Amino acid sequence: MTTELAMATEAPSAKATGGSDFAQLSRRIAAEGLLDRRAAYYTVRITLVGLAFVGGWVALFALGDTWLQLVLAAVMAVVFAQVGLLSHDLAHRQVFSSRRASEIGGRIAANLCMGMSYGWWMNKHTRHHANPNHEERDPDVAPDILVWSQRQARFATGVAKFIGRRQAYLFLPLLTLEGLNLSFNSFKALRSPTMKRPFLEGALLVAHFVAYFGLVFAALSPGKAFAFIAVHEALLGVYMGSVFAPNHKGMLMVTPDMRLDFLRRQVLTSRNVRGGVLTDVLMGGLNYQIEHHLFPSMPCPALGRAQRITMEFCAEKGIPYYEVGLLGSYREIFRHLHRTGEPIREAG
């Protein structure tokens, strides 16, 4: 940890600053109206994604039984990922202020259209937001398959220990299985006591997969159908992983002994990704990860303006604010994965 980062982890008291640092930043953000709903934006976005989703299934039958369907499978991977990103926004109540409307929309998008449990993902993602990159509390950095810190690597067992030796090289291949992992965990979570509406979620998941497999096998011969599904699932996993991994992987890992207030906990563990409109679209606004973690209900189109305010505020407070290009973020992730696996390699 650098001296600058170490100093930033020692947050000043609220009494010394006349209110917490986050409260001061929040007032600036609210004064700009950046937390207001953006109905027009989400109407257009939902319409475009919905048309792409329906159009993809129409194209499946229009193309017929041809290997060109594998191109469509790749396109549909992108469309499904965009549905997933919309589910994310719905879960954070960026689209609707009503919890009920958000849950209805989220279950339609996630369970019915994408085949991922909204309730399972919501529970997992809420815990991640509360403690990003916390070695013991963030489910996204649990050492189940990969290890995310050298501390985890020293105690790694089973699959994590086996993969951890070469995890930087195996990361992308493993992402091809992420779509299957999301579906598997979605069905597994139906038995969890934390699942609020297991029968509804289960019914929607079954409806999704019956329709998905039914349409693919109705349009294509068995060989082409299996190839379509394999390409679609693999590229969906890579796309989703490539969107979410740059946000935190390779950033500060939080241990129980660290003292971090809310603002520093979110800023120091998050990485923003530079880019233009295309990056915003492909990443669904998650390239503004710092602002998203500070203000989860902030609509996507407000994040750019919020970034400028947050950067200025962090500079005033001496808080390191990190932003890098997309390719640079991937380089940092691979280096981090290789470095964290070092204790396992050294152990032989």
Side-chain angles (χ1 to χ4, degrees), residues 52-53 56-57 60 69-84 112-116 175-180 182-183 208-209 212-213 216 220 224-241:
F53 185 82
W57 293 117
L60 179 71
Q69 293 280 10
L70 299 187
V71 176
L72 178 62
V75 173
M76 287 300 283
V78 175
V79 174
F80 268 52
Q82 288 295 319
V83 172
L112 188 60
C113 294
M114 190 183 173
M116 179 185 74
L175 284 183
T176 63
L177 302 175
E178 182 59 20
L180 296 176
L182 293 175
S183 298
H208 165 84
F209 283 105
Y212 178 86
F213 289 119
V216 173
L220 305 176
K224 293 186 181 69
F226 280 115
F228 180 98
I229 294 169
V231 170
H232 175 253
E233 288 295 323
L235 293 182
L236 173 61
V238 171
Y239 186 173
M240 294 295 287

Short mmCIF file of all heavy atoms in Angstrom, two decimals, residues 52-53 56-57 60 69-84 112-116 175-180 182-183 208-209 212-213 216 220 224-241:
data_model
loop_
_atom_site.label_atom_id
_atom_site.label_comp_id
_atom_site.label_asym_id
_atom_site.label_seq_id
_atom_site.Cartn_x
_atom_site.Cartn_y
_atom_site.Cartn_z
N ALA A 52 -34.23 -5.30 -29.97
CA ALA A 52 -33.11 -6.16 -30.33
C ALA A 52 -33.34 -7.60 -29.86
O ALA A 52 -33.03 -8.56 -30.57
CB ALA A 52 -31.82 -5.61 -29.72
N PHE A 53 -33.92 -7.75 -28.68
CA PHE A 53 -34.20 -9.06 -28.12
C PHE A 53 -35.22 -9.81 -28.99
O PHE A 53 -34.99 -10.96 -29.39
CB PHE A 53 -34.72 -8.91 -26.70
CG PHE A 53 -34.94 -10.20 -25.97
CD1 PHE A 53 -33.87 -10.85 -25.37
CD2 PHE A 53 -36.21 -10.75 -25.87
CE1 PHE A 53 -34.07 -12.06 -24.68
CE2 PHE A 53 -36.42 -11.95 -25.19
CZ PHE A 53 -35.35 -12.60 -24.60
N GLY A 56 -33.86 -10.57 -32.51
CA GLY A 56 -32.92 -11.69 -32.57
C GLY A 56 -33.63 -13.02 -32.73
O GLY A 56 -33.20 -13.87 -33.51
N TRP A 57 -34.75 -13.20 -32.03
CA TRP A 57 -35.49 -14.45 -32.15
C TRP A 57 -36.20 -14.55 -33.50
O TRP A 57 -36.32 -15.65 -34.07
CB TRP A 57 -36.49 -14.59 -31.01
CG TRP A 57 -35.82 -14.74 -29.68
CD1 TRP A 57 -35.89 -13.90 -28.62
CD2 TRP A 57 -34.94 -15.80 -29.29
NE1 TRP A 57 -35.11 -14.36 -27.58
CE2 TRP A 57 -34.51 -15.52 -27.96
CE3 TRP A 57 -34.46 -16.95 -29.93
CZ2 TRP A 57 -33.65 -16.37 -27.27
CZ3 TRP A 57 -33.59 -17.79 -29.23
CH2 TRP A 57 -33.19 -17.50 -27.93
N LEU A 60 -33.62 -15.65 -35.93
CA LEU A 60 -33.29 -17.07 -35.79
C LEU A 60 -34.07 -17.91 -36.79
O LEU A 60 -33.51 -18.81 -37.43
CB LEU A 60 -33.60 -17.52 -34.36
CG LEU A 60 -33.33 -18.99 -34.03
CD1 LEU A 60 -31.83 -19.26 -33.99
CD2 LEU A 60 -33.97 -19.37 -32.69
N GLN A 69 -25.94 -18.93 -38.29
CA GLN A 69 -26.61 -18.72 -37.01
C GLN A 69 -25.61 -18.48 -35.88
O GLN A 69 -25.97 -17.89 -34.87
CB GLN A 69 -27.49 -19.93 -36.67
CG GLN A 69 -28.68 -20.12 -37.61
CD GLN A 69 -29.84 -19.19 -37.26
OE1 GLN A 69 -29.71 -18.28 -36.46
NE2 GLN A 69 -30.99 -19.43 -37.89
N LEU A 70 -24.37 -18.92 -36.06
CA LEU A 70 -23.37 -18.69 -35.02
C LEU A 70 -23.04 -17.22 -34.88
O LEU A 70 -22.68 -16.75 -33.80
CB LEU A 70 -22.11 -19.50 -35.30
CG LEU A 70 -22.29 -21.03 -35.35
CD1 LEU A 70 -20.93 -21.72 -35.47
CD2 LEU A 70 -23.03 -21.53 -34.11
N VAL A 71 -23.17 -16.48 -35.98
CA VAL A 71 -23.00 -15.02 -35.91
C VAL A 71 -24.14 -14.42 -35.09
O VAL A 71 -23.93 -13.54 -34.24
CB VAL A 71 -22.97 -14.40 -37.32
CG1 VAL A 71 -22.87 -12.87 -37.23
CG2 VAL A 71 -21.81 -14.95 -38.13
N LEU A 72 -25.35 -14.93 -35.34
CA LEU A 72 -26.50 -14.45 -34.57
C LEU A 72 -26.33 -14.81 -33.09
O LEU A 72 -26.70 -14.03 -32.21
CB LEU A 72 -27.79 -15.07 -35.10
CG LEU A 72 -29.08 -14.69 -34.35
CD1 LEU A 72 -29.32 -13.18 -34.43
CD2 LEU A 72 -30.28 -15.45 -34.90
N ALA A 73 -25.75 -15.97 -32.81
CA ALA A 73 -25.51 -16.37 -31.42
C ALA A 73 -24.62 -15.35 -30.72
O ALA A 73 -24.84 -15.00 -29.55
CB ALA A 73 -24.87 -17.75 -31.37
N ALA A 74 -23.59 -14.86 -31.44
CA ALA A 74 -22.70 -13.84 -30.87
C ALA A 74 -23.46 -12.53 -30.64
O ALA A 74 -23.28 -11.88 -29.59
CB ALA A 74 -21.52 -13.62 -31.81
N VAL A 75 -24.30 -12.16 -31.58
CA VAL A 75 -25.09 -10.94 -31.44
C VAL A 75 -26.05 -11.06 -30.25
O VAL A 75 -26.20 -10.12 -29.45
CB VAL A 75 -25.88 -10.65 -32.73
CG1 VAL A 75 -26.85 -9.47 -32.52
CG2 VAL A 75 -24.93 -10.34 -33.88
N MET A 76 -26.66 -12.22 -30.12
CA MET A 76 -27.61 -12.42 -29.02
C MET A 76 -26.91 -12.44 -27.66
O MET A 76 -27.52 -12.13 -26.63
CB MET A 76 -28.40 -13.71 -29.23
CG MET A 76 -29.43 -13.60 -30.34
SD MET A 76 -30.67 -12.30 -30.02
CE MET A 76 -31.71 -13.11 -28.81
N ALA A 77 -25.63 -12.82 -27.65
CA ALA A 77 -24.87 -12.73 -26.40
C ALA A 77 -24.78 -11.29 -25.94
O ALA A 77 -24.91 -10.98 -24.74
CB ALA A 77 -23.48 -13.32 -26.59
N VAL A 78 -24.56 -10.38 -26.88
CA VAL A 78 -24.50 -8.96 -26.56
C VAL A 78 -25.87 -8.46 -26.09
O VAL A 78 -25.97 -7.71 -25.11
CB VAL A 78 -24.03 -8.15 -27.79
CG1 VAL A 78 -24.08 -6.65 -27.51
CG2 VAL A 78 -22.62 -8.56 -28.20
N VAL A 79 -26.92 -8.90 -26.79
CA VAL A 79 -28.27 -8.48 -26.42
C VAL A 79 -28.64 -8.97 -25.02
O VAL A 79 -29.18 -8.21 -24.20
CB VAL A 79 -29.30 -8.99 -27.45
CG1 VAL A 79 -30.72 -8.67 -26.99
CG2 VAL A 79 -29.04 -8.37 -28.82
N PHE A 80 -28.33 -10.24 -24.73
CA PHE A 80 -28.62 -10.77 -23.40
C PHE A 80 -27.85 -10.01 -22.32
O PHE A 80 -28.38 -9.75 -21.23
CB PHE A 80 -28.25 -12.26 -23.33
CG PHE A 80 -29.37 -13.19 -23.67
CD1 PHE A 80 -30.09 -13.04 -24.86
CD2 PHE A 80 -29.72 -14.23 -22.84
CE1 PHE A 80 -31.13 -13.89 -25.19
CE2 PHE A 80 -30.76 -15.09 -23.14
CZ PHE A 80 -31.47 -14.92 -24.32
N ALA A 81 -26.62 -9.65 -22.61
CA ALA A 81 -25.82 -8.89 -21.65
C ALA A 81 -26.45 -7.51 -21.41
O ALA A 81 -26.46 -7.02 -20.27
CB ALA A 81 -24.39 -8.73 -22.15
N GLN A 82 -26.98 -6.91 -22.46
CA GLN A 82 -27.65 -5.62 -22.30
C GLN A 82 -28.92 -5.76 -21.46
O GLN A 82 -29.26 -4.87 -20.67
CB GLN A 82 -27.98 -5.01 -23.67
CG GLN A 82 -26.77 -4.51 -24.43
CD GLN A 82 -26.08 -3.34 -23.74
OE1 GLN A 82 -26.75 -2.44 -23.20
NE2 GLN A 82 -24.76 -3.33 -23.74
N VAL A 83 -29.61 -6.88 -21.61
CA VAL A 83 -30.76 -7.16 -20.74
C VAL A 83 -30.29 -7.28 -19.29
O VAL A 83 -30.93 -6.77 -18.37
CB VAL A 83 -31.47 -8.46 -21.19
CG1 VAL A 83 -32.54 -8.85 -20.17
CG2 VAL A 83 -32.09 -8.29 -22.56
N GLY A 84 -29.15 -7.95 -19.10
CA GLY A 84 -28.59 -8.08 -17.76
C GLY A 84 -28.22 -6.74 -17.15
O GLY A 84 -28.44 -6.51 -15.96
N LEU A 112 -37.04 -14.00 -16.72
CA LEU A 112 -37.76 -14.43 -17.91
C LEU A 112 -36.95 -14.25 -19.19
O LEU A 112 -36.92 -15.14 -20.04
CB LEU A 112 -39.07 -13.66 -18.01
CG LEU A 112 -40.04 -14.13 -19.11
CD1 LEU A 112 -40.42 -15.59 -18.89
CD2 LEU A 112 -41.29 -13.26 -19.12
N CYS A 113 -36.29 -13.11 -19.33
CA CYS A 113 -35.58 -12.84 -20.59
C CYS A 113 -34.15 -13.37 -20.60
O CYS A 113 -33.68 -13.85 -21.64
CB CYS A 113 -35.56 -11.33 -20.87
SG CYS A 113 -37.19 -10.63 -21.20
N MET A 114 -33.48 -13.32 -19.46
CA MET A 114 -32.07 -13.68 -19.43
C MET A 114 -31.78 -15.04 -18.83
O MET A 114 -30.76 -15.66 -19.12
CB MET A 114 -31.29 -12.60 -18.66
CG MET A 114 -29.78 -12.74 -18.77
SD MET A 114 -28.96 -11.50 -17.76
CE MET A 114 -27.26 -12.03 -17.93
N GLY A 115 -32.66 -15.54 -17.96
CA GLY A 115 -32.43 -16.83 -17.32
C GLY A 115 -31.56 -16.74 -16.09
O GLY A 115 -30.84 -17.69 -15.75
N MET A 116 -31.61 -15.62 -15.37
CA MET A 116 -30.84 -15.42 -14.15
C MET A 116 -31.78 -14.95 -13.06
O MET A 116 -32.62 -14.09 -13.29
CB MET A 116 -29.74 -14.37 -14.36
CG MET A 116 -28.90 -14.06 -13.14
SD MET A 116 -27.72 -12.70 -13.40
CE MET A 116 -28.83 -11.27 -13.38
N LEU A 175 -14.22 -17.48 -17.94
CA LEU A 175 -15.36 -16.59 -18.18
C LEU A 175 -16.35 -17.19 -19.17
O LEU A 175 -17.54 -16.84 -19.14
CB LEU A 175 -14.87 -15.23 -18.71
CG LEU A 175 -14.26 -14.27 -17.70
CD1 LEU A 175 -13.91 -12.94 -18.37
CD2 LEU A 175 -15.18 -14.03 -16.51
N THR A 176 -15.91 -18.08 -20.05
CA THR A 176 -16.84 -18.70 -21.00
C THR A 176 -17.88 -19.55 -20.28
O THR A 176 -18.92 -19.88 -20.86
CB THR A 176 -16.09 -19.58 -22.03
OG1 THR A 176 -15.43 -20.66 -21.34
CG2 THR A 176 -15.05 -18.76 -22.80
N LEU A 177 -17.61 -19.90 -19.03
CA LEU A 177 -18.55 -20.70 -18.24
C LEU A 177 -19.42 -19.84 -17.32
O LEU A 177 -20.27 -20.38 -16.60
CB LEU A 177 -17.77 -21.71 -17.39
CG LEU A 177 -16.86 -22.68 -18.15
CD1 LEU A 177 -16.07 -23.53 -17.18
CD2 LEU A 177 -17.66 -23.54 -19.11
N GLU A 178 -19.21 -18.52 -17.35
CA GLU A 178 -19.92 -17.65 -16.41
C GLU A 178 -21.43 -17.65 -16.64
O GLU A 178 -22.21 -17.58 -15.69
CB GLU A 178 -19.38 -16.22 -16.50
CG GLU A 178 -20.02 -15.23 -15.54
CD GLU A 178 -19.85 -15.63 -14.07
OE1 GLU A 178 -18.95 -16.42 -13.75
OE2 GLU A 178 -20.64 -15.12 -13.24
N GLY A 179 -21.87 -17.73 -17.90
CA GLY A 179 -23.30 -17.79 -18.18
C GLY A 179 -23.94 -19.01 -17.53
O GLY A 179 -25.02 -18.93 -16.92
N LEU A 180 -23.27 -20.16 -17.65
CA LEU A 180 -23.77 -21.39 -17.02
C LEU A 180 -23.74 -21.26 -15.50
O LEU A 180 -24.64 -21.75 -14.82
CB LEU A 180 -22.92 -22.58 -17.47
CG LEU A 180 -22.95 -22.93 -18.96
CD1 LEU A 180 -21.99 -24.07 -19.26
CD2 LEU A 180 -24.37 -23.30 -19.39
N LEU A 182 -24.12 -18.53 -13.74
CA LEU A 182 -25.24 -17.68 -13.32
C LEU A 182 -26.54 -18.48 -13.26
O LEU A 182 -27.32 -18.36 -12.32
CB LEU A 182 -25.39 -16.49 -14.27
CG LEU A 182 -24.27 -15.45 -14.27
CD1 LEU A 182 -24.52 -14.42 -15.36
CD2 LEU A 182 -24.14 -14.77 -12.92
N SER A 183 -26.75 -19.32 -14.28
CA SER A 183 -27.97 -20.13 -14.32
C SER A 183 -27.98 -21.17 -13.21
O SER A 183 -29.00 -21.38 -12.53
CB SER A 183 -28.09 -20.82 -15.68
OG SER A 183 -28.18 -19.87 -16.72
N HIS A 208 -38.25 -19.40 -19.07
CA HIS A 208 -37.17 -18.91 -19.93
C HIS A 208 -36.48 -20.06 -20.66
O HIS A 208 -36.33 -20.01 -21.89
CB HIS A 208 -36.13 -18.15 -19.10
CG HIS A 208 -34.85 -17.93 -19.85
ND1 HIS A 208 -34.67 -16.88 -20.74
CD2 HIS A 208 -33.67 -18.64 -19.89
CE1 HIS A 208 -33.47 -16.96 -21.28
NE2 HIS A 208 -32.85 -18.01 -20.78
N PHE A 209 -36.07 -21.06 -19.92
CA PHE A 209 -35.28 -22.12 -20.54
C PHE A 209 -36.12 -23.02 -21.45
O PHE A 209 -35.61 -23.52 -22.46
CB PHE A 209 -34.55 -22.92 -19.46
CG PHE A 209 -33.36 -22.20 -18.92
CD1 PHE A 209 -33.41 -21.61 -17.67
CD2 PHE A 209 -32.20 -22.07 -19.68
CE1 PHE A 209 -32.31 -20.91 -17.17
CE2 PHE A 209 -31.10 -21.36 -19.20
CZ PHE A 209 -31.15 -20.79 -17.94
N TYR A 212 -36.31 -20.83 -24.50
CA TYR A 212 -34.99 -20.71 -25.13
C TYR A 212 -34.63 -21.96 -25.91
O TYR A 212 -34.32 -21.92 -27.11
CB TYR A 212 -33.95 -20.42 -24.05
CG TYR A 212 -32.52 -20.32 -24.55
CD1 TYR A 212 -32.03 -19.12 -25.03
CD2 TYR A 212 -31.68 -21.42 -24.51
CE1 TYR A 212 -30.71 -19.03 -25.48
CE2 TYR A 212 -30.36 -21.33 -24.96
CZ TYR A 212 -29.89 -20.14 -25.44
OH TYR A 212 -28.59 -20.05 -25.89
N PHE A 213 -34.64 -23.10 -25.23
CA PHE A 213 -34.28 -24.35 -25.91
C PHE A 213 -35.30 -24.73 -26.96
O PHE A 213 -34.95 -25.25 -28.02
CB PHE A 213 -34.13 -25.48 -24.88
CG PHE A 213 -32.91 -25.34 -24.01
CD1 PHE A 213 -33.04 -25.20 -22.63
CD2 PHE A 213 -31.63 -25.33 -24.56
CE1 PHE A 213 -31.92 -25.06 -21.83
CE2 PHE A 213 -30.51 -25.19 -23.75
CZ PHE A 213 -30.65 -25.06 -22.39
N VAL A 216 -34.62 -22.55 -30.12
CA VAL A 216 -33.37 -22.89 -30.80
C VAL A 216 -33.48 -24.23 -31.51
O VAL A 216 -33.09 -24.37 -32.69
CB VAL A 216 -32.20 -22.91 -29.79
CG1 VAL A 216 -30.93 -23.45 -30.46
CG2 VAL A 216 -31.94 -21.51 -29.26
N LEU A 220 -33.30 -24.93 -35.61
CA LEU A 220 -32.03 -25.50 -36.09
C LEU A 220 -31.98 -27.01 -35.90
O LEU A 220 -32.65 -27.57 -35.03
CB LEU A 220 -30.86 -24.86 -35.32
CG LEU A 220 -30.76 -23.34 -35.34
CD1 LEU A 220 -29.61 -22.89 -34.44
CD2 LEU A 220 -30.57 -22.83 -36.75
N LYS A 224 -26.38 -27.89 -35.07
CA LYS A 224 -26.30 -26.43 -35.13
C LYS A 224 -26.91 -25.80 -33.88
O LYS A 224 -26.45 -24.76 -33.41
CB LYS A 224 -26.99 -25.91 -36.39
CG LYS A 224 -26.31 -26.30 -37.69
CD LYS A 224 -26.99 -25.64 -38.88
CE LYS A 224 -26.32 -26.04 -40.19
NZ LYS A 224 -26.55 -27.46 -40.53
N ALA A 225 -27.94 -26.43 -33.34
CA ALA A 225 -28.57 -25.91 -32.13
C ALA A 225 -27.58 -25.94 -30.96
O ALA A 225 -27.44 -24.96 -30.22
CB ALA A 225 -29.82 -26.72 -31.79
N PHE A 226 -26.89 -27.07 -30.78
CA PHE A 226 -25.91 -27.17 -29.70
C PHE A 226 -24.77 -26.17 -29.91
O PHE A 226 -24.27 -25.57 -28.95
CB PHE A 226 -25.36 -28.59 -29.60
CG PHE A 226 -26.27 -29.54 -28.88
CD1 PHE A 226 -26.85 -30.61 -29.55
CD2 PHE A 226 -26.56 -29.35 -27.54
CE1 PHE A 226 -27.70 -31.49 -28.89
CE2 PHE A 226 -27.42 -30.22 -26.86
CZ PHE A 226 -27.99 -31.29 -27.55
N ALA A 227 -24.35 -25.99 -31.16
CA ALA A 227 -23.28 -25.03 -31.45
C ALA A 227 -23.74 -23.61 -31.15
O ALA A 227 -22.99 -22.79 -30.59
CB ALA A 227 -22.85 -25.15 -32.91
N PHE A 228 -24.98 -23.29 -31.51
CA PHE A 228 -25.56 -21.97 -31.24
C PHE A 228 -25.54 -21.70 -29.73
O PHE A 228 -25.08 -20.64 -29.29
CB PHE A 228 -26.98 -21.90 -31.77
CG PHE A 228 -27.68 -20.58 -31.55
CD1 PHE A 228 -27.73 -19.63 -32.56
CD2 PHE A 228 -28.30 -20.29 -30.33
CE1 PHE A 228 -28.36 -18.40 -32.35
CE2 PHE A 228 -28.93 -19.08 -30.12
CZ PHE A 228 -28.96 -18.13 -31.14
N ILE A 229 -26.01 -22.66 -28.95
CA ILE A 229 -26.07 -22.49 -27.50
C ILE A 229 -24.68 -22.33 -26.91
O ILE A 229 -24.45 -21.49 -26.03
CB ILE A 229 -26.81 -23.69 -26.86
CG1 ILE A 229 -28.27 -23.69 -27.30
CG2 ILE A 229 -26.70 -23.64 -25.34
CD1 ILE A 229 -29.02 -24.96 -26.95
N ALA A 230 -23.72 -23.14 -27.39
CA ALA A 230 -22.36 -23.08 -26.87
C ALA A 230 -21.73 -21.71 -27.12
O ALA A 230 -21.12 -21.11 -26.23
CB ALA A 230 -21.50 -24.18 -27.49
N VAL A 231 -21.86 -21.22 -28.35
CA VAL A 231 -21.30 -19.92 -28.69
C VAL A 231 -21.98 -18.81 -27.90
O VAL A 231 -21.33 -17.91 -27.35
CB VAL A 231 -21.42 -19.65 -30.21
CG1 VAL A 231 -21.06 -18.20 -30.54
CG2 VAL A 231 -20.52 -20.61 -31.00
N HIS A 232 -23.29 -18.88 -27.84
CA HIS A 232 -24.06 -17.85 -27.12
C HIS A 232 -23.67 -17.80 -25.66
O HIS A 232 -23.38 -16.71 -25.11
CB HIS A 232 -25.56 -18.13 -27.27
CG HIS A 232 -26.42 -17.20 -26.49
ND1 HIS A 232 -27.08 -17.58 -25.34
CD2 HIS A 232 -26.71 -15.89 -26.67
CE1 HIS A 232 -27.75 -16.54 -24.85
NE2 HIS A 232 -27.55 -15.52 -25.63
N GLU A 233 -23.65 -18.94 -24.99
CA GLU A 233 -23.34 -18.98 -23.56
C GLU A 233 -21.90 -18.55 -23.29
O GLU A 233 -21.61 -17.83 -22.32
CB GLU A 233 -23.59 -20.38 -23.00
CG GLU A 233 -25.05 -20.75 -22.89
CD GLU A 233 -25.79 -19.89 -21.88
OE1 GLU A 233 -25.20 -19.53 -20.84
OE2 GLU A 233 -26.96 -19.55 -22.15
N ALA A 234 -20.97 -19.01 -24.12
CA ALA A 234 -19.56 -18.68 -23.91
C ALA A 234 -19.32 -17.18 -24.06
O ALA A 234 -18.66 -16.55 -23.21
CB ALA A 234 -18.69 -19.45 -24.90
N LEU A 235 -19.85 -16.59 -25.12
CA LEU A 235 -19.62 -15.16 -25.36
C LEU A 235 -20.40 -14.29 -24.37
O LEU A 235 -19.94 -13.21 -24.01
CB LEU A 235 -20.00 -14.80 -26.79
CG LEU A 235 -19.10 -15.43 -27.87
CD1 LEU A 235 -19.52 -14.96 -29.26
CD2 LEU A 235 -17.63 -15.10 -27.62
N LEU A 236 -21.55 -14.77 -23.92
CA LEU A 236 -22.29 -14.04 -22.89
C LEU A 236 -21.46 -13.96 -21.61
O LEU A 236 -21.35 -12.89 -20.98
CB LEU A 236 -23.62 -14.73 -22.59
CG LEU A 236 -24.44 -14.17 -21.42
CD1 LEU A 236 -24.82 -12.71 -21.67
CD2 LEU A 236 -25.69 -15.02 -21.18
N GLY A 237 -20.84 -15.08 -21.24
CA GLY A 237 -20.01 -15.09 -20.05
C GLY A 237 -18.81 -14.18 -20.17
O GLY A 237 -18.47 -13.44 -19.22
N VAL A 238 -18.15 -14.21 -21.32
CA VAL A 238 -16.99 -13.35 -21.54
C VAL A 238 -17.39 -11.87 -21.50
O VAL A 238 -16.70 -11.04 -20.89
CB VAL A 238 -16.31 -13.69 -22.88
CG1 VAL A 238 -15.24 -12.65 -23.21
CG2 VAL A 238 -15.69 -15.08 -22.82
N TYR A 239 -18.51 -11.55 -22.14
CA TYR A 239 -18.97 -10.16 -22.16
C TYR A 239 -19.30 -9.67 -20.75
O TYR A 239 -18.81 -8.62 -20.30
CB TYR A 239 -20.20 -10.04 -23.06
CG TYR A 239 -20.70 -8.62 -23.30
CD1 TYR A 239 -21.71 -8.37 -24.22
CD2 TYR A 239 -20.17 -7.53 -22.62
CE1 TYR A 239 -22.19 -7.10 -24.45
CE2 TYR A 239 -20.64 -6.24 -22.84
CZ TYR A 239 -21.65 -6.04 -23.76
OH TYR A 239 -22.12 -4.76 -23.98
N MET A 240 -20.09 -10.45 -20.03
CA MET A 240 -20.48 -10.04 -18.68
C MET A 240 -19.25 -9.91 -17.78
O MET A 240 -19.12 -8.95 -17.01
CB MET A 240 -21.47 -11.04 -18.09
CG MET A 240 -22.81 -11.09 -18.80
SD MET A 240 -23.75 -9.55 -18.63
CE MET A 240 -24.27 -9.65 -16.93
N GLY A 241 -18.35 -10.88 -17.87
CA GLY A 241 -17.15 -10.81 -17.06
C GLY A 241 -16.27 -9.63 -17.41
O GLY A 241 -15.67 -8.99 -16.54
#
